[in-house]
């Protein structure tokens, strides 16, 4: 976060903000081109870095050419460009889903339309790719991000920027989850058990996109990126317990309980 150059662009409205976000995503994916290619060469055909860098560069160009853009038009333009520029599995998945979900932004960008956009995008990727969580695909990053975003806004009533930060954090853990599991969809699935131990390229690029959306949103609101706690509250941290003063009290209690039996 914050390690990439900022897009200097005056933002007059939601459409301009989306264009700025797309430009920022394009820069990031260009910077990550070799990284993504490396990931795809381990379990695929080594084209994901080029696919994403080229596709998003063209998409940023097309979005930048729009006259007085609105969010829906920008999203659809980016999606169509990705569909025509990027072949393989990821072009239709990223691009087609973006075209479809873009319609949710017809009334501009609000917490409500952003949730609808995210849900529709996820549903479309699931529909087109027929992958589920645990198949070692982009779904493993996307689904936890979308679920966390929706819950943060609708149930927890968090500000949209914090919800996006939580969603990005969830995606990061989803990317880590792709490493110890076996691919069941896409090219990597041809490797069978040899896909275990590798990080999924599409989940990784999905995380990069979210990170840049988060940075753009923070810039636009002129707020720092919220610091969300990544530690899971459901898994007790033994090391943390060791260093706490309550340790002795806890073990005394345990001893007493045992003694009473
Ligand atoms: P290709 O696999 O055609 O070479 P890319 O290398 O650009 O396309 O993209 C590969 C990524 O696409 C994978 O890392 C995975 O995240 C994603 N992917 C592949 N198949 C599916 C699918 N059926 N559903 C969801 N995502 C998929
Ligand atoms: Mg590939």
């Amino acid at each position: 976060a914050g390690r990439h150059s900022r897009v200097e662009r005056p933002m007059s409205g939601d459409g301009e903000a989306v264009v700025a976000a797309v430009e920022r995503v394009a820069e990031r994916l260009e910077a990550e081109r070799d990284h993504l290619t490396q990931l795809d060469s381990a379990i695929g055909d080594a084209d994901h870095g080029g696919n994403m860098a080229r596709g998003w560069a063209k998409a940023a160009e097309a979005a930048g050419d729009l006259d007085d853009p609105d969010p829906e038009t920008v999203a659809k333009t980016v999606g169509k460009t990705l569909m025509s520029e990027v072949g393989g599995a990821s072009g239709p998945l990223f691009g087609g889903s973006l075209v479809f979900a873009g319609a949710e932004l017809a009334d501009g960008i609000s917490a409500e339309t952003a949730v609808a956009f995210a849900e529709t995008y996820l549903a479309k990727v699931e529909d087109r790719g027929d992958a589920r969580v645990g198949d070692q695909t982009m779904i493993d990053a996307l689904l936890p991000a979308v679920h966390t975003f929706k819950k943060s806004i609708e149930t927890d009533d968090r500000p949209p920027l914090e919800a996006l930060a939580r969603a990005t954090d969830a995606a990061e853990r989803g990317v880590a989850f792709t490493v110890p599991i076996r691919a069941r969809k896409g090219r990597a699935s041809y490797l069978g058990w040899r896909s275990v131990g590798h990080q999924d390229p599409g989940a990784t690029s999905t995380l990069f996109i979210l990170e840049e959306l988060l940075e753009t949103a923070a810039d636009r609101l002129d707020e720092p990126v919220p610091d969300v706690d990544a530690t899971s509250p459901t898994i007790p941290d033994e090391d943390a317990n060791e260093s706490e003063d309550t340790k002795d009290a806890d073990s005394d209690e345990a001893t007493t309980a045992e003694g009473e039996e």
Side-chain angles (χ1 to χ4, degrees):
R3 58 204 175 279
H4 298 279
S5 63
R6 291 185 171 215
V7 177
E8 301 297 344
R9 185 184 185 94
M11 293 182 289
S12 58
D14 286 353
E16 288 293 327
V18 182
V19 173
V22 172
E23 288 174 344
R24 192 163 182 143
V25 168
E27 278 184 29
R28 177 72 186 278
L29 293 171
E30 179 55 44
E32 304 282 358
R33 178 195 283 259
D34 292 348
H35 179 190
L36 292 171
T37 294
Q38 256 172 31
L39 294 177
D40 196 31
S41 62
I43 49 171
D45 55 356
D47 65 350
H48 193 61
N51 280 346
M52 295 302 275
R54 187 186 67 254
W56 282 86
K58 291 276 185 190
E61 221 179 280
D65 285 345
L66 292 171
D67 216 23
D68 193 18
D70 59 272
E72 180 183 15
T73 307
V74 179
K76 288 184 172 175
T77 301
V78 169
K80 282 179 195 160
T81 308
L82 293 178
M83 283 180 78
S84 62
E85 288 294 326
V86 183
S90 63
L93 288 172
F94 282 105
S97 307
L98 207 44
V99 170
F100 201 76
E104 304 284 3
L105 302 178
D107 294 332
I109 297 178
S110 63
E112 199 186 352
T113 63
V115 169
F117 171 84
E119 280 192 286
T120 302
Y121 181 87
L122 169 63
K124 208 64 192 168
V125 175
E126 286 181 314
D127 194 41
R128 283 175 181 253
D130 196 33
R132 297 293 170 260
V133 159
D135 288 345
Q136 200 189 57
T137 71
M138 59 177 75
I139 289 288
D140 294 328
L142 183 61
L143 182 141
V146 172
H147 285 195
T148 298
F149 187 64
K150 181 180 170 74
K151 191 246 184 183
S152 297
I153 288 185
E154 293 184 356
T155 306
D156 299 340
D157 209 16
R158 307 312 303 168
L161 189 64
E162 186 189 319
L164 188 53
R166 291 190 183 281
T168 305
D169 176 62
E172 193 173 339
R173 284 181 276 160
V175 168
F177 170 63
T178 64
V179 177
I181 62 177
R182 175 183 168 177
R184 294 186 184 277
K185 288 286 173 187
R187 246 175 237 286
S189 67
Y190 308 154
L191 291 180
W193 290 102
R194 280 183 294 141
S195 60
V196 175
H198 295 282
Q199 183 175 312
D200 180 64
T204 307
S205 57
T206 297
L207 170 63
F208 294 156
I209 292 168
L210 279 167
E211 285 179 348
E212 297 311 314
L213 293 184
L214 175 60
E215 290 286 340
T216 309
D219 266 9
R220 183 167 160 78
L221 294 167
D222 203 19
E223 284 177 34
V225 170
D227 190 17
V228 296
D229 190 352
T231 58
S232 167
T234 55
I235 303 172
D237 184 340
E238 284 179 34
D239 293 337
N241 286 343
E242 287 300 322
S243 62
E244 273 170 22
D245 293 338
T246 53
K247 188 206 157 201
D248 286 346
D250 282 352
S251 49
D252 283 348
E253 229 170 78
T255 312
T256 311
E258 264 172 53
E260 276 168 3
E261 262 180 57

